Amino acid sequence: MTRIATKVFAWIVLAFLVAPLLAIFPLSFSSGTILTLPVPGYSLQWYEEFFLNDRWLDATRNSFIVGTATMVLATLLGTTAAYGLNMSNFRGKQIVLVLLSMPMVVPLIVTAASMFLAFSAVGLANTLWGLVIAHTIIATPYVVITVLASLQTFDPNLMRGALSLGAPPVTAFREVVLPMILPGVAAGAIFAFATSFDELVIAIFITGPGEFTLPRQMFAGLREFLSPTIAAAAVIMILLSFVLLFVSEAVRRRGEKLVARRANQ
Amino acid sequence: MSKKSRISWLLVAPLLVLVTVGFLLPIGYTMVKAVENPEVTAALPRTAAVLDTWDGEGMPPEAAFDALVEDIRSSRSGLEFGAMTRRLNFELNGSRSVIMKTRRTVDALDAPYSESLPVEIAEWGDPEFWRLIKTNSNPVTASYLLRALDLQVTPGGSIERVPADRAIFLDLFMRTFWISIWVTVICAFLAYPTAYYISTLSDRAASYAMLLVLVPFWTSILVRTTAWFILLQTEGPVNMALVWSSIIDEPIQLIFTRFAVYVAMVHVLLPFQILPLYSVMKRQGPQYLRAAASLGAPPWRQFLSVYLPLTLPGVAAGAAMVFMLSVGFYVTPALVGGLQDQMVSYYIAFFTNQSINFGMVAALSLLLLVFTGAIILIAHRLIPNVGGAIRA
């Protein structure tokens, strides 16, 4: 009895989690102009609206620019920092760890407001660079975490071996360490891109209409006029999250295989 | 320092510099902004200098009137002047119009101004108005922080509660706290049986069920909020379904209500509770429950004395995360809630974008930061290893 009740309860909760996302799909293909179910008929008009409208296109382009720049910066900075943190127990390491964790702990709204106040004082507000810097700061801690996790399974003797055979440190890192920790690095990079691509609160504070990202444009659209184009934009963002989720799962599987193969050797 | 340590530092340095310059400095700058008070001195430098030597008793000296007239006549920068009037109006409603009136009449005035000015504008004959200017020539002020707690300084220098019609912030903090508590409780209540059920499934079935948790988890908060925004419209699918199934006769107001805020926030934050719970439950072997059963404990007793204590760390880890995130939530309540359902974050955005008052932005941010910090400390005290810190 309890078992059946738990089962039913669990499926209701799981349905609650996915149903709203699924409901968006038919709405975005509606041939009507009001967002209601069941839809009167199906058409691609709202996608057409999305792909022919400069505001949506510019926003999408900005999102990809900021997301890619954030991904590159966060991955570079996060991977080097994680490698440094993993290498030795240097003095001040605990403080450094606390400082690097801060952007994950401070409420996003406080981060956003502070960055707005400070960035406007130095002319970084309303620029894509300002947004890239902000997104890099909130995304990098996650890169550090994933890379640190994969470094913990890495045998430092391999690096020592490469160095003792005369490989320059950078080459040794690229040829020996990087292939082993690549799944961690890739997972971090994907997460950094997704963080930036989905981020809205900071974008609300430090971007003007010229720098609107896709979420920022959606937020503006929701506040002005609720058109089904927003449902189409939402579906596009859901599909993108799907792609990222599958890529990161594939990367994780590959990483597990790598670790398993090493354990067998 | 060993060579290794030096290399470690070198590798960590670039990120540390970025976080310091782009994050820690802005937070520090905000804290300064919460107490900084430059507006009056910037727009009325001479007056501020004279009032600095005035003891605040009776009327200020003739020199103060001369300085004031001189300052206002020579006020060129409209920006500074505007900032000063807004600053004074924040302290005392109506000061703005007094200053603007002064600016209009000051050119036609004759010395001695201590006689002509109060005739035109009565406030300048009132020592309290002068004390207001003197108090706010001080480079530091506690006004914003006090106001964020519904307190204000009287011209006499004592602290009192603001009139009831303007006291909004204590309510706001309490509301933020209670909405977050309820969201946390509801999430824990929904997540526990769900995570338990998934943990009893076979690996294959569990990974499909977890996909239903992970897909929303990976979908942006805005998209999920947008979904609810559309579904909860008065002519939206939820209302249509309720009318169609004759539960209600005509559509009811769902969007812009507290109900909508709870539904959408729980939906957004639920995965944060399910994921840690699931990983804890997955690790529980059946042996403890079997031991309890073999000792004759009925199922409810097995659950209460064995299973629940073993899985409580998962509840705690998830609940701490959910609570921390909901305290700073902005997008979801701003979109699906009404004005009565907004949290501290809404007012931080409001003072940034609409009623431009950076002092209040900074004060509310600072208090929210202290509030969150206190919660993290308490959570750490109760359950170590909680919260998302990097460990190496």
Side-chain angles (χ1 to χ4, degrees), chain B residues 84-385:
Chain B
M84 178 266 293
T85 60
R86 274 202 305 275
R87 178 73 190 90
L88 289 176
N89 210 54
F90 175 77
E91 294 295 332
L92 180 71
N93 232 338
S95 325
R96 185 163 196 278
S97 59
V98 173
I99 305 281
M100 296 315 268
K101 214 157 83 188
T102 311
R103 172 135 96 165
R104 283 195 301 274
T105 49
V106 82
D107 281 334
L109 283 181
D110 296 316
Y113 301 116
S114 64
E115 280 162 29
S116 57
L117 193 55
V119 172
E120 292 292 328
I121 298 152
E123 278 81 359
W124 293 116
D126 182 357
E128 258 188 24
F129 198 76
W130 284 99
R131 276 199 287 275
L132 174 75
I133 308 239
K134 179 180 162 67
T135 312
N136 289 295
S137 314
N138 198 317
V140 179
T141 178
S143 301
Y144 299 120
L145 285 168
L146 289 173
R147 186 63 65 83
L149 296 167
D150 287 339
L151 298 167
Q152 62 185 12
V153 185
T154 61
S158 58
I159 293 171
E160 60 170 23
R161 305 208 53 176
V162 298
D165 58 319
R166 283 195 294 143
I168 53 170
F169 295 111
L170 281 182
D171 272 355
L172 187 67
F173 275 100
M174 287 314 286
R175 189 191 303 152
T176 306
F177 180 76
W178 281 113
I179 289 180
S180 305
I181 287 280
W182 277 114
V183 168
T184 310
V185 169
I186 298 169
C187 279
F189 175 75
L190 294 180
Y192 198 89
T194 310
Y196 172 74
Y197 173 69
I198 300 175
S199 76
T200 61
L201 294 174
S202 69
D203 276 359
R204 199 179 166 76
S207 69
Y208 283 120
M210 282 314 281
L211 208 61
L212 300 183
V213 180
L214 286 173
V215 168
F217 184 68
W218 268 79
T219 308
S220 85
I221 293 176
L222 174 69
V223 169
R224 285 183 278 166
T225 307
T226 305
W228 285 110
F229 188 85
I230 293 170
L231 294 177
L232 296 175
Q233 291 291 316
T234 308
E235 299 90 33
V238 170
N239 256 320
M240 288 302 156
L242 290 175
V243 171
W244 180 77
S245 58
S246 314
I247 294 173
I248 50 173
D249 293 330
E250 51 189 77
I252 48 171
Q253 176 77 34
L254 293 171
I255 191 80
F256 310 133
T257 62
R258 187 68 60 92
F259 171 76
V261 172
Y262 280 128
V263 170
M265 279 183 75
V266 166
H267 184 254
V268 168
L269 293 169
L270 191 52
F272 287 97
Q273 178 72 78
I274 295 182
L275 291 172
L277 252 180
Y278 173 70
S279 75
V280 168
M281 287 173 170
K282 187 98 181 121
R283 270 185 268 131
Q284 305 301 327
Q287 62 272 30
Y288 294 110
L289 286 179
R290 273 191 212 136
S294 74
L295 291 170
W300 64 266
R301 187 82 201 268
Q302 293 170 29
F303 173 75
L304 276 186
S305 341
V306 179
Y307 197 74
L308 189 62
L310 283 172
T311 50
L312 219 47
V315 179
M321 194 73 199
V322 170
F323 188 81
M324 254 169 58
L325 286 170
S326 43
V327 164
F329 240 47
Y330 170 63
V331 172
T332 306
L335 281 174
V336 303
L339 196 58
Q340 282 310 304
D341 313 310
Q342 297 305 328
M343 309 209 285
V344 177
S345 53
Y346 177 85
Y347 281 86
I348 293 179
F350 174 77
F351 282 119
T352 309
N353 301 320
Q354 289 168 54
S355 154
I356 312 287
N357 186 336
F358 295 159
M360 283 311 292
V361 172
L364 287 173
S365 297
L366 183 55
L367 287 178
L368 190 61
L369 195 60
V370 171
F371 190 48
T372 320
I375 293 161
I376 294 174
L377 282 184
I378 293 169
H380 263 289
R381 198 42 76 74
L382 296 176
I383 10 159
N385 295 336

Side-chain angles (χ1 to χ4, degrees), chain A residues 111-136:
Chain A
T111 305
S114 302
M115 284 178 171
F116 166 76
L117 293 178
F119 285 16
S120 12
V122 294
L124 267 174
N126 297 339
T127 66
L128 283 184
W129 269 114
L131 196 58
V132 169
I133 292 173
H135 283 178
T136 303

